[in-house]
Amino acid sequence: MDRIVDIATDGRHLSLYRGFLVVEEQREEVGRIALDDIYAVIVHAHGTTWSANLVAALAERGAPVVFCGSNHSPVAVTLPIEGHHAQNARFRAQWGASKPLCKQLWRRIVTAKIAMQGSLLATRGIAGAEAFPLIARRVKSGDSDNLEAQAARRYWPLLMGAEFRRDRNSPGANALLNYGYAVIRATVARAVIAAGLHPTIGINHANRGNAFVLADDLVEPFRPLVDALVVAMIARGLDTLDPKLKRQFARLIAFDLRIGGEASPVSIAAVRLAQSLARAFETGRPSLAIFDPPTPIEWAALARSDESDEASE
């Protein structure tokens, strides 16, 4: 399986040597991994340095480098300029996409996200979950009624408790969510580039300071997967991000999702979603390859992944 490399120890130096990413501390090698095995690199340690050759070699392989702040939320990402043989044509189609098409695409993204939220709540037997399929069906073009936000206001108290507030700068569950979302965001950003799309041209998000708005659009249906894992961690008293929990988040990219009756890991589901978006821009038809919500058994398997990791320690 492709691996996510997490750099969490201060003062490490990252370099390239004969096809390997080499990690050094005070000029002594402490680890290495083959570049071809790397899916993404996540850096959130102070004083980390790296060679330009390494970043270029990772970009050639389509592996993003994600830089995180002290709250474990991404602040920068490096990705290759070229990602697909038809990139120029797809850039033009993406830039020229009509507003009605983008609004219909966004409706499908929001509908899928709300359906995922409802599925997770229902699997956990939480009263109020039955409202989410109804909300999902009511989403209009462009989510003009802002049902995504309305669903979120119901979702977080039901899932995490009435006192919970989603705050990127808070510790505990919020920090775990930040890191999990960073893993999924890197996965989607890589898929966006591989599909020949430009990451700064979104279908809904339009933050001028965000160079990866398209990844933030497409990541939305995947977020409840992170939520489910975090809830399971909190239930076991695990609320501090450590190497063991990071490994569990990294394994999310291998979790199987169903698309049209076929099982694909999250990493491939992200590629299929991005490729379908590229085709939608080219054809003008708002069709997306969005995965189905997991079954109760599949949600349970995701929640148990932290237990299996703990048992293997």
Side-chain angles (χ1 to χ4, degrees):
M1 183 185 74
D2 289 334
R3 297 173 65 179
I4 292 179
V5 179
D6 182 273
I7 306 299
T9 302
D10 295 345
R12 294 286 170 88
H13 177 70
L14 314 180
S15 61
L16 172 67
Y17 181 73
R18 294 187 176 181
F20 285 85
L21 183 159
V22 177
V23 182
E24 296 176 314
E25 183 173 5
Q26 297 181 351
R27 300 184 180 275
E28 293 290 333
E29 181 177 327
V30 295
R32 64 170 58 193
I33 181 172
L35 293 183
D36 291 337
D37 292 340
I38 297 175
Y39 192 84
V41 178
I42 299 178
V43 180
H44 53 105
H46 295 290
T48 303
T49 58
W50 57 90
S51 70
N53 287 347
L54 172 64
V55 176
L58 289 169
E60 288 171 356
R61 291 162 173 79
V65 182
V66 182
F67 299 93
C68 297
S70 59
N71 61 353
H72 308 296
S73 187
V75 296
V77 182
T78 66
L79 279 169
I81 295 174
E82 297 182 0
H84 191 274
H85 65 88
Q87 187 176 65
N88 184 269
R90 288 192 166 179
F91 277 5
R92 291 177 179 273
Q94 182 183 4
W95 185 258
S98 68
K99 182 171 288 189
L101 174 62
C102 289
K103 286 185 174 182
Q104 286 295 328
L105 291 168
W106 184 240
R107 181 179 71 85
R108 284 162 171 75
I109 292 291
V110 171
T111 298
K113 178 182 181 180
I114 295 174
M116 283 285 289
Q117 291 173 331
S119 175
L120 174 56
L121 293 174
T123 295
R124 296 182 61 81
I126 297 174
E130 64 279 359
F132 283 74
L134 301 176
I135 297 173
R137 287 196 291 270
R138 288 170 44 212
V139 178
K140 298 178 183 177
S141 176
D143 189 22
S144 57
D145 294 329
N146 202 18
L147 292 181
E148 180 191 17
Q150 293 183 40
R153 284 195 291 270
R154 293 177 179 234
Y155 174 70
W156 288 116
L158 291 173
L159 183 67
M160 304 291 286
E163 301 302 317
F164 178 80
R165 296 293 181 272
R166 179 69 184 113
D167 181 354
R168 294 181 181 180
N169 296 314
S170 294
N174 276 291
L176 298 181
L177 290 168
N178 289 345
Y179 188 83
Y181 292 157
V183 169
I184 296 298
R185 189 180 191 236
T187 300
V188 174
R190 176 174 175 150
V192 164
I193 296 297
L197 296 172
H198 200 295
T200 65
I201 307 172
I203 56 178
N204 180 71
H205 290 93
N207 185 344
R208 290 186 179 182
N210 182 358
F212 291 90
V213 290
L214 185 58
D216 289 339
D217 285 336
L218 298 187
V219 80
E220 296 297 347
F222 294 93
R223 289 184 185 273
L225 299 173
V226 176
D227 304 342
L229 191 52
V230 169
V231 167
M233 291 173 176
I234 296 298
R236 296 179 62 80
L238 307 173
D239 62 358
T240 302
L241 194 61
D242 60 20
K244 184 178 72 173
L245 297 192
K246 290 175 183 176
R247 288 196 297 271
Q248 293 165 26
F249 283 121
R251 285 202 295 269
L252 270 178
I253 67 172
F255 180 72
D256 279 337
L257 296 167
R258 287 172 292 106
I259 306 175
E262 297 180 359
S264 297
V266 165
S267 57
I268 301 302
V271 170
R272 294 180 66 177
L273 178 57
Q275 293 283 4
S276 69
L277 177 62
R279 289 192 296 271
F281 287 141
E282 291 173 329
T283 64
R285 293 193 294 269
S287 177
L288 293 176
I290 296 179
F291 50 89
D292 298 324
T295 65
I297 292 176
E298 290 165 344
W299 279 121
L302 175 61
R304 285 197 303 270
S305 65
D306 67 316
E307 298 180 22
S308 61
D309 188 80
E310 188 173 89
S312 66
E313 290 295 313

